[in-house]
Amino acid sequence: MENLFAFVVGGLYATALYMMLRRSVVKLVIGLIILSNAANLLIFTSGGLVRGAPPLIPQGLSVPVKAIADPLPQALILTAIVISFGVLAFAVVLIHRAYEVIGADDVNEMKSTDS
């Protein structure tokens, strides 16, 4: 199962890089979204795909009785989702404002407006 996730992560990274190399700013932002999703899936996969109990240790013991799920990758992914949503919201507003000023979403046309 982890091999499948490795191929999916690789495909997502390749798609994200392809989208980020396009001349459209909208495609650049879509590539950034796909890139953040690929990074989240990579963290999730590297944490191990173990179906276990909640990470709780019974009272009076110092180690868990059976296999437990690792909460660290889940916490990292949750934080990354919140940060990527903030970056996405900022990028959408920035693209909207740039389109109002320039009238196009082509990166080459945005270079000509530099002073």
Side-chain angles (χ1 to χ4, degrees), residues 21 29 38 43 54 61-62 65 84 92 97:
L21 292 175
V29 171
I43 293 170
L61 297 176
S62 60
V65 179
S84 65
V92 167
R97 182 67 183 140

Side-chain angles (χ1 to χ4, degrees), residues 29-65:
V29 171
I30 292 171
L32 285 173
I33 294 167
I34 294 172
L35 185 71
S36 68
N37 288 333
N40 290 341
L41 189 60
L42 179 66
I43 293 170
F44 182 71
T45 306
S46 66
L49 300 174
V50 177
R51 198 178 284 250
L56 302 172
I57 299 174
Q59 190 171 4
L61 297 176
S62 60
V63 294
V65 179

